[in-house]
Amino acid sequence: MDLIVRNARLADGDELVDLAVRAGTFAEIGPRLKLSAQTEIDAGGNLVCPPFIDPHLHLDAALTAGIPRYNISGSHPEGIQVWCEYKKAYPQFEDFKDRARRAVEWEVAQGTLYIRTHIDICDPSLTALKYMLELREEMSDIVDIQIVAFPQDGILSYPKAPELMREALMLGADLVGGIPHCEWTREDGVESVGVVYALAEEFDRMIDVHCDETDDDHSRFLEVLASQAIKRGFQNRVSAGHTTAMHSYNNAYAFKLQGLLGKAGVNIIANPFDNTVLQARFDTYPKRRGITRVKELLAAGINVSLGHDSIMDPWYPLGKGDMLAAAQLAIHVCHMSGFDEMQQMFDTITVNSAKTFGINDSYGIVPGRRADLVILDARSVLDALRLCPARLTVVKAGRVVAETQPSQSRIQYGAESKVVDYRKD
Ligand code: FE2
């Protein structure tokens, strides 16, 4: 064998197992395997899980917070203003690759091996997109990246956006994006969804649309996206990001919509970091939580995953690329703190996202599948969500791609000291 990870605690098993890897795939899994390998890693009874997946990240803006200035109000409109100022300061995205590379490294070091990034194509020279295509290749040893051709300023509201979308897809963007709620009129929004599908059909690509990211309960483009998925045979190939207007729909309409989403197999991607700070800015009190109906969608059998969305950009100044932290926040704001519900939230950054990403047949700690795994400094899924602990070792296709030494706290009792263990068995 090339690699054996010993004494691994899998999420669904009490007994510790060994994971044997050959030629980049899991070969055997079982207790105390009588095999040898070039490299052996002792997981020491810690949780070993498949890698995290971030299906919604804006790498073109990542790490620009403070350049040229911070968003003082923290609001969405000021975020757009600051982004315009950034683009004036760096018209050629000179710093793009350094920033994006760092953000990806942060995610990989914390166990995320699959990233779907939205890159703004509303730029006649497609500069950021071209840099991103290069970076995807340069970093392919440590991470799999999908690129969405994302029309930030609209498909009908920005000149020549459909042509730029087409060019981006020809250059190598993986998915077709959209933003119907930001088009100038409702009719334009509906028409823009038609353009998205036409491009997806032409290039045979999956779709991932920013959809209804507003507190306006009249924003109802998700039904258009879902009905078109059924009519055009795109079931299970369409994702909708944010869908925060669903927070404000009346319950009868939300119920009807859930049925349609189920039929269409639309994946919903909630983004708790950005939406909890950006939404409900026009509310006084009570203030809405600004996140889509994660609990109800999961209960209805809809595939829901979480995205990190921003890492230190004009819209969200914090974050370090930690998908466990996204799940922890979502547990709070979505009322998902029941015991089984917390396990479900772990799925929203692992198996559910694998379905969104389109890799569910090759993903998971199962013989014959690609040997991707994360060893966490935690004993259980619950503790992983509670502690957001160090990702001790990250393995991609049988190769160690990141390691982290856990921090250590000591308590001093007079002359004696004791190491603090935050883990709970
Ligand atoms: Fe987004």
Side-chain angles (χ1 to χ4, degrees):
M1 296 291 156
D2 301 323
L3 168 73
I4 295 183
V5 176
R6 303 246 182 231
N7 304 309
R9 189 183 303 275
L10 301 182
D12 54 358
D14 290 334
E15 195 178 16
L16 301 185
V17 293
D18 297 343
L19 314 170
V21 176
R22 189 174 45 217
T25 52
F26 289 113
E28 277 188 59
I29 298 172
R32 293 173 295 282
L33 293 180
K34 301 225 170 346
L35 297 166
S36 60
Q38 281 178 341
T39 308
E40 295 216 4
I41 299 171
D42 186 3
N46 280 318
L47 177 68
V48 177
C49 69
F52 303 122
I53 297 171
D54 184 354
H56 190 119
L57 182 63
H58 294 264
L59 281 171
D60 46 8
L63 276 68
T64 60
I67 310 172
R69 67 176 179 89
Y70 280 96
N71 180 339
I72 301 304
S73 66
S75 68
H76 198 278
E78 188 176 341
I80 293 169
Q81 178 58 36
V82 173
W83 180 235
C84 289
E85 292 172 30
Y86 165 82
K87 286 199 275 194
K88 270 198 197 106
Y90 289 90
Q92 295 306 313
F93 284 89
E94 296 88 336
D95 60 342
F96 174 90
K97 270 181 145 179
D98 288 344
R99 291 187 289 98
R101 190 190 308 277
R102 265 192 101 191
V104 172
E105 287 170 353
W106 291 359
E107 293 227 343
V108 171
Q110 293 172 99
T112 295
L113 294 182
Y114 296 88
I115 293 170
R116 178 180 289 176
T117 184
H118 293 259
I119 301 295
D120 185 5
I121 56 81
C122 293
D123 161 19
S125 55
L126 295 176
T127 308
L129 180 93
K130 287 171 186 166
Y131 279 138
M132 191 62 234
L133 289 163
E134 288 175 17
L135 203 59
R136 182 178 66 183
E137 291 314 305
E138 290 166 18
M139 302 195 81
S140 61
D141 276 356
I142 64 163
V143 65
D144 286 5
I145 296 177
Q146 290 180 349
I147 300 172
V148 184
F150 171 51
Q152 172 85 66
D153 299 330
I155 290 179
L156 297 187
S157 311
Y158 184 82
K160 300 202 170 149
E163 286 84 347
L164 289 165
M165 299 271 290
R166 179 173 285 107
E167 193 183 337
L169 292 162
M170 285 194 303
L171 286 170
D174 301 285
L175 291 98
V176 185
I179 191 161
H181 58 281
C182 282
E183 303 287 356
W184 288 337
T185 66
R186 158 88 197 168
E187 290 71 21
D188 283 357
V190 172
E191 199 181 327
S192 78
V193 173
V195 176
V196 167
Y197 274 97
L199 286 166
E201 282 168 347
E202 182 183 338
F203 288 89
D204 189 23
R205 303 292 167 84
M206 292 195 291
I207 289 170
D208 191 327
V209 165
H210 279 63
C211 201
D212 302 319
E213 188 185 6
T214 166
D215 299 318
D216 176 8
D217 61 334
H218 291 277
S219 185
R220 293 183 174 186
F221 295 103
L222 188 50
E223 65 180 17
V224 180
L225 193 71
S227 64
Q228 288 295 310
I230 298 168
K231 288 176 187 166
R232 294 176 183 244
F234 266 79
Q235 285 98 330
N236 304 313
R237 296 186 70 203
V238 176
S239 299
H242 300 287
T243 70
T244 53
M246 203 191 302
H247 191 101
S248 303
Y249 294 155
N250 67 69
N251 291 335
Y253 176 67
F255 178 79
K256 179 206 164 194
L257 181 61
Q258 281 165 16
L260 185 62
L261 292 172
K263 238 183 232 127
V266 170
N267 306 298
I268 299 295
I269 303 169
N271 298 291
F273 288 125
D274 286 60
N275 288 136
T276 50
V277 299
L278 294 177
Q279 304 309 128
R281 288 275 173 164
F282 296 100
D283 291 5
T284 52
Y285 283 93
K287 275 188 204 294
R288 287 167 284 179
R289 294 184 175 202
I291 191 160
T292 195
R293 299 189 185 204
V294 170
K295 190 188 192 89
E296 293 74 13
L297 289 165
L298 286 168
I302 311 298
N303 187 51
V304 179
S305 44
L306 302 182
H308 204 293
D309 202 4
S310 294
I311 302 175
M312 298 187 72
D313 69 17
W315 296 277
Y316 183 73
L318 306 177
K320 59 171 187 157
D322 184 357
M323 291 309 295
L324 273 173
Q328 190 187 64
L329 176 58
I331 284 170
H332 290 81
V333 295
C334 301
H335 280 172
M336 289 295 287
S337 55
F339 181 76
D340 291 335
E341 290 172 337
M342 289 189 284
Q343 309 284 328
Q344 263 188 303
M345 291 311 286
F346 196 74
D347 290 345
T348 65
I349 55 170
T350 53
V351 288
N352 293 12
S353 327
K355 202 173 165 206
T356 304
F357 217 81
I359 53 164
N360 45 329
D361 291 341
S362 59
Y363 175 87
I365 301 179
V366 176
R369 297 196 174 179
R370 198 174 90 177
D372 296 345
L373 60 88
V374 184
I375 306 174
L376 295 108
D377 191 20
R379 301 290 196 201
S380 65
V381 164
L382 187 56
D383 249 17
L385 290 163
R386 180 175 67 90
L387 298 170
C388 299
R391 313 316 119 94
L392 302 171
T393 308
V394 184
V395 172
K396 178 176 186 277
R399 191 177 75 84
V400 174
V401 293
E403 290 176 300
T404 300
Q405 295 293 324
S407 62
Q408 196 182 72
S409 309
R410 296 187 78 87
I411 296 283
Q412 199 71 34
Y413 286 105
E416 307 218 330
S417 73
K418 176 186 167 193
V419 172
V420 177
D421 189 352
Y422 293 99
R423 296 174 306 183
K424 187 170 178 300
D425 285 331

